[in-house]
Amino acid sequence: MVHLSNDILEEVLCRLPIKCLIRFRCVSKSWLALISSPYFVKLHFNRSVQTKRNLRLFKSNLFQVDFDSLHDDDVLQEVKFRNYGFVPKSSCDGLLCMSNTRDTQRVLVWNPSTRRNPSKRWPNTIAEKNYPTTCLGDDFLSMPNVHAIDNVFLWNPSTRKALKLPYASIEIEKQIGLFNAYVYCVYRIGYDNTNDDYKVVRIVILSEPRSFSEYEIMVYSLRSNSWHRLEKFPHCPNWSNFGDCIVGGALHFMSIVKSDLKSENSIVAFDLGTEKCRVLPQPEYNGTPSKLCLDNLGGCLSLSCVYESSIVDVFLLKEYGGMKEHWSRLITLSRTSTFKIFHPLKPIAYSKCGKKVWLNMDDKRLVLYNLEQKSVEEIKDRDRSSTSLLYKYCLESLVTVDVPGTTKIIFGNWIHKEKIFKYAYCCAIQAT
Amino acid sequence: MSSKKMITLKSSDGRIFEVEEAVAQESQTIKHMIEDGYGNSVIPLPNVTGRILYKIIEFCTKHVAVEEDIKQKSVEPTVVVEDVKQKSVEPTVVEDVKQKSVELPVDDDAWDAEPSDIDEWDAQFIDVDESTMFELIVASNYLNIKRLMDLSAQAIADMMKDKTVEEIRKIFNIQNDFTPEEEMKIRNENSWAYE
């Protein structure tokens, strides 16, 4: 048999699914080195992105759907992870950032000397539990129930290896009242192409009704396996509409500035590499926007805009970061007698042929929009048995989270495969 | 009709092939040689046997013919996204929203105007034994013929997909240089992949 050089072997191997590659690591030492090399991991990953293979969809309760097997079987196979109470908060390049299911926790306020809480709402036994504490007021300490910050993992479901992120305490200074204060944790993972590093941004928001929110930002770097604290953003984020879109190595969010006369929206990009913010220009709207929503559609930043007239436009930001950066309108939707629009409208993915786009309407319907014919092709109403239509994309990759000196955790055994009726989920699956 | 320029190629085992210039230029390697002025003499290809060169010429001839065919047909518009500033202000009204029955399209070819015959031809072309596939990929790499490279790489990958580690070693003629303990350790790390 003719011998294949490493170059040719890479060309062949990068076309294999992840499961095969993991298996073939033990063929020989040179194959192990080749498959594990960072160059090959990137090559394979880039190929997956281009050919839209090796895709997964995740729902909040961690079901996975394997896109490739979809064409072989007629019935959708969903595989459930044993997730130990963790859910993916954000994903990038096949890595999931997982933490405890509850994002929002009530802040408990208590006085350590009297060991009583002023509101007398919670039993004193809470004081005996070993919660990390943060000093807020004079002699009051608040005890956020901080499972959300204590157990954070980076996990690659393909290699099954996980890394527990080091603990980083919350330090927010705010005078809070005694009741109804909440701590909310947001995690976003992204790739910093300046430093060839994966970064996790953690934003903890302390909020109270009838009061403004305070927040803190921490950034974790995989290379240094450590957190560092950042100054607050120069633009105040609109927390009710934070968005989940890391595009081009930057975290994007809507910022809102309210003055007496009006409120102004702006789109802010926080670069993971430079850790600086910049304001993006907005597109020319066809009316007065009443609601704006940011998303990541196929690697481009998308902006869904609902006008006061109830028409919806979806824009894409082209030539990101370049001289010719501009918004381009992709979709326009109008309400008709037969077609109702629910907000927010979130684009999920392109179909595999690239000519259609799947949109989620307020988790009530999935809509397939044909870009060439500029019309809605299909509508799927939410099945009663489905818990959510909010799918997130994740690519399968061999990206590793090996950090020297940390314990490797391997978790995520498949516990069972379920054959779910096509009806409830095929609309999302037709995205291939 | 003017006669097309012919290029002469010589395989490692001395066989001579005369091909049209357009066909020969499917190989970037040969194309550069022609540009450097070697197109008028016999171009030796010491890394390619006659048997394989014959097949490669067959591949390139077919693809050149198909491309010429395509040039004569009209091109379908595919552009969808318009820059905001250029478009008129009128928003498009969505009409006739149809509720389709649930059916998974197996492939998106249903949306193209005509089916892809060339893909079928390619599939038959590459339907050869493993040894020939390997020779084709090595030759197409040397001759720098991207389309054939992609086709043969994909064919080899497809062939490998369901094979066990032992079968792979046999096909690629690889010696297992792991100790049994080392191999066991790697397998156990990801035992789920071996099911």
Side-chain angles (χ1 to χ4, degrees):
Chain A
M1 192 70 81
V2 166
H3 172 72
L4 299 188
S5 67
N6 271 356
D7 288 345
I8 297 178
L9 196 55
E10 270 170 7
E11 273 296 320
V12 173
L13 292 179
C14 77
R15 288 166 159 81
L16 287 172
I18 296 273
K19 194 173 173 182
C20 284
L21 289 173
I22 292 183
R23 212 163 62 223
F24 295 158
R25 279 156 83 231
C26 71
V27 165
S28 77
K29 285 185 180 169
S30 65
W31 277 46
L32 175 64
L34 194 146
I35 293 172
S36 314
S37 77
Y39 171 76
F40 179 76
V41 169
K42 269 213 177 85
L43 183 72
H44 183 275
F45 172 75
N46 286 333
R47 207 156 185 285
S48 296
V49 170
Q50 272 170 16
T51 58
K52 298 195 182 112
R53 300 195 102 135
N54 298 326
L55 291 173
R56 267 196 181 96
L57 283 180
F58 276 103
K59 291 207 299 183
S60 56
N61 53 349
L62 211 54
F63 277 86
Q64 173 204 280
V65 170
D66 185 8
F67 269 32
D68 289 346
S69 74
L70 185 68
H71 294 300
D72 302 334
D73 313 327
D74 271 328
V75 180
L76 191 58
Q77 297 240 323
E78 280 210 343
V79 186
K80 197 171 172 194
F81 279 80
R82 176 182 292 142
N83 62 351
Y84 306 99
F86 297 106
V87 289
K89 300 292 182 191
S90 172
S91 85
C92 175
D93 294 359
L95 285 181
L96 297 180
C97 180
M98 317 259 287
S99 84
N100 193 267
T101 41
R102 291 193 305 167
D103 295 316
T104 311
Q105 271 113 29
R106 184 169 256 159
V107 170
L108 306 177
V109 179
W110 71 299
N111 183 323
S113 9
T114 63
R115 312 213 90 184
R116 276 213 206 129
N117 67 70
S119 75
K120 298 190 177 66
R121 271 192 196 177
W122 301 286
N124 288 341
T125 48
I126 287 174
E128 275 137 46
K129 288 194 188 170
N130 196 14
Y131 291 130
T133 61
T134 303
C135 189
L136 280 188
D138 294 325
D139 54 353
F140 287 102
L141 290 180
S142 86
M143 291 194 297
N145 178 339
V146 288
H147 289 316
I149 71 164
D150 194 27
N151 286 303
V152 188
F153 292 87
L154 287 188
W155 181 41
N156 184 334
S158 305
T159 61
R160 311 292 174 93
K161 296 224 179 90
L163 172 72
K164 186 175 178 190
L165 301 194
Y167 175 74
S169 62
I170 301 174
E171 284 170 29
I172 302 177
E173 279 193 24
K174 184 182 189 293
Q175 281 282 40
I176 60 166
L178 302 176
F179 319 115
N180 291 331
Y182 279 87
V183 158
Y184 185 74
C185 283
V186 170
Y187 286 97
R188 298 287 181 255
I189 181 173
Y191 178 67
D192 165 11
N193 34 29
T194 321
N195 301 311
D196 186 28
D197 191 8
Y198 286 97
K199 298 253 172 87
V200 178
V201 177
R202 181 189 87 182
I203 304 175
V204 177
I205 306 143
L206 178 61
S207 76
E208 263 188 303
R210 293 182 295 281
S211 172
F212 63 93
S213 303
E214 270 298 347
Y215 68 101
E216 63 149 33
I217 310 168
M218 294 280 271
V219 175
Y220 168 86
S221 144
L222 183 61
R223 272 193 186 278
S224 66
N225 191 28
S226 66
W227 293 92
H228 60 276
R229 203 173 296 275
L230 291 190
E231 295 288 319
K232 290 204 281 204
F233 296 127
H235 313 269
C236 180
N238 179 355
W239 297 118
S240 58
N241 190 8
F242 194 67
D244 179 15
C245 34
I246 295 206
V247 170
L251 171 68
H252 297 85
F253 57 91
M254 296 301 306
S255 162
I256 190 158
V257 176
K258 281 189 177 136
S259 62
D260 291 334
L261 298 171
K262 54 175 180 167
S263 61
E264 252 191 53
N265 285 310
S266 54
I267 303 170
V268 182
F270 170 70
D271 189 297
L272 294 173
T274 61
E275 294 182 353
K276 292 209 162 29
C277 284
R278 74 174 172 114
V279 175
L280 297 182
Q282 293 190 52
E284 282 186 13
Y285 296 116
N286 275 343
T288 316
S290 66
K291 200 170 158 71
L292 295 168
C293 209
L294 291 171
D295 282 289
N296 180 332
L297 178 61
C300 275
L301 186 65
S302 83
L303 177 68
S304 314
C305 170
V306 181
Y307 298 114
E308 283 174 353
S309 55
S310 290
I311 293 172
V312 180
D313 268 351
V314 178
F315 298 94
L316 277 190
L317 188 62
K318 299 283 179 109
E319 315 232 8
Y320 185 86
M323 294 290 293
K324 293 190 188 161
E325 190 177 74
H326 64 279
W327 288 99
S328 214
R329 183 167 41 216
L330 184 72
I331 295 171
T332 301
L333 285 180
S334 269
R335 200 169 69 126
T336 66
S337 52
T338 45
F339 178 61
K340 271 197 202 142
I341 301 181
F342 298 101
H343 307 303
L345 192 70
K346 296 177 106 15
I348 302 177
Y350 287 103
S351 65
K352 204 157 189 173
C353 64
K355 296 173 188 163
K356 303 169 216 166
V357 175
W358 282 102
L359 304 148
N360 180 320
M361 288 206 291
D362 194 26
D363 207 25
K364 288 186 171 66
R365 294 180 139 177
L366 281 185
V367 172
L368 180 62
Y369 184 88
N370 188 315
L371 296 170
E372 282 181 341
Q373 294 166 16
K374 293 195 198 296
S375 62
V376 171
E377 200 167 278
E378 202 170 318
I379 302 175
K380 277 276 140 248
D381 284 305
R382 181 169 142 179
D383 188 84
R384 250 178 249 135
S385 63
S386 83
T387 51
S388 164
L389 295 173
L390 280 174
Y391 287 97
K392 288 186 185 155
Y393 261 99
C394 180
L395 276 173
E396 284 196 72
S397 78
L398 292 166
V399 175
T400 51
V401 286
D402 282 334
V403 173
T406 58
T407 333
K408 283 193 187 54
I409 308 162
I410 300 179
F411 73 12
N413 297 310
W414 307 113
I415 53 174
H416 59 271
K417 284 191 182 194
E418 278 174 349
K419 293 205 173 179
I420 307 287
F421 298 115
K422 272 198 318 192
Y423 177 80
Y425 301 103
C426 71
C427 40
I429 302 320
Q430 280 180 3
T432 53
Chain B
M1 202 153 70
S2 62
S3 64
K4 294 181 182 166
K5 179 163 183 206
M6 302 300 279
I7 303 288
T8 316
L9 305 171
K10 183 169 158 191
S11 68
S12 61
D13 44 354
R15 283 174 66 180
I16 306 286
F17 297 85
E18 269 203 8
V19 293
E20 287 178 16
E21 188 173 11
V23 173
Q25 287 187 335
E26 284 284 289
S27 153
Q28 294 296 312
T29 311
I30 297 177
K31 186 173 178 201
H32 293 322
M33 285 188 197
I34 295 172
E35 285 165 355
D36 288 345
Y38 295 100
N40 291 321
S41 44
V42 174
I43 295 180
L45 301 173
N47 294 353
V48 189
T49 64
R51 184 179 78 95
I52 294 299
L53 187 55
Y54 178 83
K55 278 201 77 83
I56 290 179
I57 291 170
E58 189 190 339
F59 181 86
C60 297
T61 310
K62 175 70 178 178
H63 278 266
V64 164
V66 165
E67 264 172 38
E68 281 182 12
D69 236 13
I70 291 175
K71 275 183 201 159
Q72 287 158 17
K73 290 187 182 158
S74 59
V75 179
E76 283 175 67
T78 50
V79 173
V80 172
V81 180
E82 346 92 19
D83 289 346
V84 176
K85 287 170 193 154
Q86 291 158 10
K87 219 217 162 185
S88 68
V89 185
E90 242 69 52
T92 349
V93 177
V94 175
E95 287 168 336
D96 288 326
V97 169
K98 293 176 198 148
Q99 297 252 9
K100 280 195 186 165
S101 63
V102 172
E103 245 175 343
L104 284 167
V106 174
D107 59 60
D108 279 303
D109 280 352
W111 301 106
D112 295 333
E114 64 258 353
S116 219
D117 294 320
I118 189 66
D119 289 339
E120 269 184 50
W121 189 92
D122 279 351
Q124 281 186 342
F125 175 83
I126 204 70
D127 186 16
V128 290
D129 60 279
E130 286 149 9
S131 174
T132 311
M133 263 192 231
F134 277 43
E135 285 184 89
L136 278 172
I137 198 174
V138 170
S140 61
N141 185 44
Y142 167 67
L143 291 172
N144 198 347
I145 306 171
K146 184 169 187 330
R147 220 189 312 245
L148 183 55
M149 185 78 192
D150 286 341
L151 182 67
S152 35
Q154 189 62 53
I156 297 176
D158 290 339
M159 177 269 293
M160 285 169 75
K161 248 185 246 184
D162 296 320
K163 298 274 190 301
T164 64
V165 170
E166 290 77 17
E167 285 168 335
I168 292 290
R169 285 187 190 130
K170 217 171 167 182
I171 294 169
F172 286 80
N173 199 12
I174 295 175
Q175 265 300 43
N176 179 10
D177 51 356
F178 285 118
T179 66
E181 296 82 27
E182 285 170 339
E183 188 177 338
M184 237 332 89
K185 187 175 171 218
I186 299 175
R187 276 180 189 259
N188 286 337
E189 264 182 21
N190 287 294
S191 53
W192 56 274
Y194 297 90
E195 283 156 22

